[in-house]
């Protein structure tokens, strides 16, 4: 498969790109900085330089042509202000969905956040973030032209992945290594019957592949 990943230089994205390349898929990471090409090439991915905060739908759609799936793994980052929570965490996800529809790419996997809710209350930057992620999720779920799956990981850690997770519509709070988030994304991409599901992910005791098959009803 050819899979295009928005936020291609992110910590989860780089792990996912390595997994996809290792199994023979073609991973393309969207990055804003041409200087990040080498990091993507080092994990076996191709870099496409594109700024999702300024690109047009047509520009993004051109990159998506021929892709089998897209993954939204971009984020404004913990040090960004409220404005970029909207322009990246919400608007860029919507732009990718618009471009996927234009390019005829149905499969859309969203890396969201536990607690994402467009109606979330509060005035802190993290509250704005949760509203932005919730609004992005809602915008993607409203599109019948997309076979979407939304993944909401718990507290992200850099611990080595265990390969054992809890994956369900509601897991409760908990940590999860980025390694295991990437592994779950790879399995979700391989399991089109997870389309239409919004799932939470934390560390558990079920192998990733089994956990994905279980939620898919396979």
């Amino acid at each position: 498969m050819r899979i295009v990943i928005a936020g291609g230089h992110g910590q989860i994205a780089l792990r996912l790109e390595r997994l996809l390349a290792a199994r023979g898929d073609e991973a393309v990471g969207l990055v804003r900085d041409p200087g990040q090409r080498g990091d993507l090439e080092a994990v076996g991915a191709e870099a496409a330089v594109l700024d999702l905060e300024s690109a047009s739908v047509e520009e993004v759609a051109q990159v998506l042509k021929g892709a089998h799936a897209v993954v939204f793994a971009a984020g404004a980052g913990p040090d960004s202000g409220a404005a970029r929570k909207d322009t990246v965490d919400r608007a860029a996800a919507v732009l990718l969905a618009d471009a996927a529809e234009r390019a005829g790419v149905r499969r859309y996997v969203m890396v969201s956040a536990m607690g994402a809710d467009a109606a979330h209350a509060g005035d802190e930057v993290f509250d704005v973030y949760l509203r932005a992620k919730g609004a992005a999720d809602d915008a993607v779920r409203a599109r019948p032209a997309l076979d979407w799956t939304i993944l909401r990981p718990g507290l992200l850690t850099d611990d080595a992945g265990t390969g054992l997770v809890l994956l369900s519509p509601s897991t409760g709070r908990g940590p999860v290594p980025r390694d295991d988030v990437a592994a779950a994304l790879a399995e979700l991409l391989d399991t089109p019957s997870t389309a239409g599901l919004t799932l939470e992910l934390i560390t558990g005791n079920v192998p990733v592949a089994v956990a994905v098959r279980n939620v898919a009803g396979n």
Side-chain angles (χ1 to χ4, degrees):
M1 292 194 296
R2 177 178 172 88
I3 299 162
V4 179
I5 303 164
H9 193 257
Q11 296 184 67
I12 291 172
L14 287 168
R15 288 166 166 84
L16 175 60
E17 288 154 3
R18 187 186 296 276
L19 290 175
L20 295 175
R23 72 186 195 184
D25 287 328
E26 185 180 354
V28 181
L30 302 182
V31 297
R32 299 196 326 165
D33 182 357
Q36 296 172 339
R37 286 183 185 274
D39 292 337
L40 271 69
E41 292 169 356
V43 298
E46 173 190 338
V49 180
L50 194 69
D51 185 349
L52 292 177
E53 289 183 274
S54 61
S56 68
V57 173
E58 186 56 40
E59 286 171 332
V60 182
Q62 286 294 326
V63 179
L64 301 189
K65 283 186 176 178
H68 299 91
V70 297
V71 178
F72 185 81
D79 298 325
S80 62
R84 294 199 69 228
K85 303 305 182 192
D86 184 70
T87 58
V88 178
D89 294 289
R90 184 198 62 80
V94 173
L95 174 66
L96 187 68
D98 289 340
E101 287 185 330
R102 184 166 298 190
V105 182
R106 292 196 59 90
R107 189 73 171 116
Y108 187 118
V109 178
M110 170 83 85
V111 181
S112 184
M114 197 171 285
D117 182 351
H120 179 83
D123 299 320
E124 300 296 324
V125 172
F126 190 68
D127 298 320
V128 176
Y129 168 75
L130 291 177
R131 283 196 293 275
K133 294 298 287 184
D137 292 352
D138 291 346
V140 170
R141 285 188 290 221
R143 295 167 186 259
L146 297 181
D147 296 327
W148 54 265
T149 302
I150 294 170
L151 183 66
R152 294 177 166 176
L155 177 65
L156 298 170
T157 75
D158 288 324
D159 298 336
T162 66
L164 300 173
V165 299
L166 174 60
L167 179 70
S168 79
S170 179
T171 62
R173 299 283 177 175
V176 62
R178 289 178 172 87
D179 287 348
D180 290 336
V181 177
L185 291 169
E187 289 291 338
L188 290 169
L189 287 164
D190 270 353
T191 313
S193 51
T194 58
L197 298 180
T198 299
L199 302 166
E200 295 182 351
L201 178 74
I202 60 174
T203 293
N205 56 16
V206 179
V208 171
V210 175
V212 171
R213 287 200 301 272
N214 287 345
V215 296
N218 297 337

